[in-house]
Amino acid sequence: MSTSLQIATASSGQPQPSAEEVLHLFRHMQLIRAFEEQVRNLYSGGAIPGLVHLCAGQEAVAVGVCCLLRADDMIASNHRGHGHCLAKGADVVRLMAEVMGRRTGYCLGRSGSLHIFDAANGNLGTTGIVGGGIPLAAGAALSAKRRGRRQVAVAFFGDGALNQGLLFEVMNMAAIWRLPVLFVCENNGFGEFTAIEDVTAGPDPIARGLAFGIPSETVDGMDVLAVRAAAQRALERARDGGGPSFLVCNTYRFGGHHVGDKQDYKDDADAKAWRQKDPIERLGRWLQDSGMAAITIAALRQDIDAEVRAAIDLAKAAPYPTADDLGTHLHA
Ligand SMILES: Cc1ncc(C[n+]2csc(CCOP(=O)(O)OP(=O)(O)O)c2C)c(N)n1
């Protein structure tokens, strides 16, 4: 299996991430994976209500983009948003508490994973509405542009949103007004249980951005360094007043649409081939080839697992919201 991630071959002229930054990328992807593995266990054991949508396999997109964002930059996420939240700096303890419906969570435990809002970290929220975060990011980009502090906003969405009229309206406005917004499509090949080719017309998803004159790129979404490099180009352009960009990151969700989905619509050979591209294993091999001892990587993983388990213990000890909390954060 090749470990030739883009850092080894990049010739873009952009500064390459330092060893410390690469380790940061690995740590964050591993944190997302560990967090969601525990969420899967908790859900299967009945400790989490509703549906949960995991992003295992897609971590490189969230981390490759968010590692370049400032605290005051903004993101808008979707229903598969734990990774976006953690990559943008969410506190593991508060995020786990929210997913487990506890009062110590980001939204007092009233939202679960579908409507997490984390203003302090510039996270405008996860949402159950397909494409719903796209106009929020553009609005944030408009306000950022007016403030003139070189802030940017990022909209993360799945390939299902490629066919939402909302995307085209927002892309048009963002291009006309040269808004500092980055549209990031996590193309995992499926919308719920339907393959992208059965519902999505056109030769290539990036054509949707190109139609509006928006610089658009297709990226290997299983290669965190490739995502980072493409995001860097786009974010620098946005901060310099060059307007929006569109990245289509080709990736794969290792699990189902939600936990419990039987996934009988997936092709086994295809799923296996994507597993071979696991972004975390790939970067782990790259780190080892670069001289990091396997034992150091294993220790890092253990520390992360312990951090997530501690967050679960704290959430379990925390109270559920009460009826008195119903009006909190409601404004009329
Ligand atoms: C506006 C809207 N239409 C339909 C749905 C039902 N729905 C929920 S998730 C989903 C598929 C989304 O697929 P995609 O955007 O590719 O994201 P992925 O789940 O693959 O990450 C659909 C159709 C919805 N929640 N909102």
Side-chain angles (χ1 to χ4, degrees):
M1 182 74 197
S2 163
T3 55
S4 58
L5 296 180
Q6 217 188 55
I7 194 168
T9 55
S11 56
S12 63
Q14 290 168 317
Q16 293 301 302
S18 64
E20 199 181 322
E21 283 172 300
V22 175
L23 196 56
H24 168 93
L25 301 175
F26 182 80
R27 193 186 183 288
H28 269 76
M29 290 198 293
Q30 182 64 40
L31 174 64
I32 295 168
R33 182 73 58 89
F35 182 92
E36 289 207 322
E37 276 170 5
Q38 292 299 339
V39 168
R40 179 197 303 279
N41 293 340
L42 289 162
Y43 184 84
S44 304
I48 296 175
L51 287 180
V52 288
H53 307 81
L54 305 182
C55 71
Q58 304 185 185
E59 296 91 344
V61 183
V63 172
V65 173
C66 290
C67 69
L68 299 166
L69 298 180
R70 309 187 320 210
D72 66 344
D73 290 330
M74 288 155 289
I75 65 163
S77 174
N78 63 356
H79 55 286
R80 205 173 294 290
H82 303 143
H84 308 138
C85 296
L86 287 167
K88 188 63 174 70
D91 176 54
V92 179
V93 172
R94 287 185 72 193
L95 189 64
M96 186 60 86
E98 187 58 46
V99 173
M100 292 180 70
R102 297 312 210 272
R103 203 177 182 287
T104 46
Y106 273 105
C107 303
L108 303 179
R110 299 173 305 181
S111 85
S113 75
L114 277 179
H115 300 99
I116 292 155
F117 175 67
D118 175 13
N121 282 306
N123 184 349
L124 302 170
T126 59
T127 172
I129 311 290
V130 170
I134 296 168
L136 299 189
L142 175 60
S143 89
K145 186 171 174 149
R146 295 225 167 144
R147 278 196 296 274
R149 292 207 304 260
R150 292 174 57 81
Q151 278 167 289
V152 297
V154 178
F156 289 102
F157 51 90
D159 44 284
L162 290 172
N163 301 324
Q164 294 292 97
L166 195 59
L167 177 68
F168 309 125
E169 293 179 43
V170 173
M171 279 185 160
N172 182 63
M173 186 180 277
I176 289 287
W177 289 350
R178 294 179 82 80
L179 299 181
V181 59
L182 174 57
F183 301 104
V184 179
C185 175
E186 293 172 311
N187 178 12
N188 62 23
F190 294 99
E192 288 190 316
F193 323 113
T194 307
I196 180 173
E197 51 273 16
D198 292 340
V199 288
T200 307
D204 190 320
I206 61 166
R208 282 153 166 75
L210 295 173
F212 297 98
I214 294 176
S216 306
E217 270 191 67
T218 305
V219 186
D220 176 356
M222 308 301 269
D223 177 350
V224 68
L225 299 168
V227 175
R228 184 188 179 281
Q232 192 168 21
R233 289 187 281 278
L235 293 170
E236 279 174 12
R237 188 160 48 234
R239 293 194 203 283
D240 290 344
S245 299
F246 181 35
L247 298 184
V248 176
C249 301
N250 290 331
T251 181
Y252 195 77
R253 59 165 155 77
F254 289 157
H257 173 60
H258 53 77
V259 178
D261 163 15
K262 291 196 183 67
Q263 304 182 63
D264 44 10
Y265 50 90
K266 281 187 177 177
D267 178 79
D268 288 346
D270 196 38
K272 200 171 162 196
W274 279 102
R275 279 264 177 200
Q276 300 294 314
K277 299 180 192 171
D278 185 321
I280 302 177
E281 297 309 318
R282 226 166 146 189
L283 192 63
R285 282 192 294 273
W286 186 89
L287 283 168
Q288 283 193 52
D289 289 352
S290 310
M292 177 170 282
I295 195 166
T296 309
I297 295 176
L300 183 73
R301 287 185 149 139
Q302 278 179 3
D303 287 352
I304 290 169
D305 285 345
E307 185 183 351
V308 176
R309 277 198 302 273
I312 295 172
D313 290 343
L314 285 169
K316 282 184 174 164
Y320 287 104
T322 67
D324 290 341
D325 295 318
L326 274 177
T328 312
H329 301 157
L330 279 186
H331 301 280

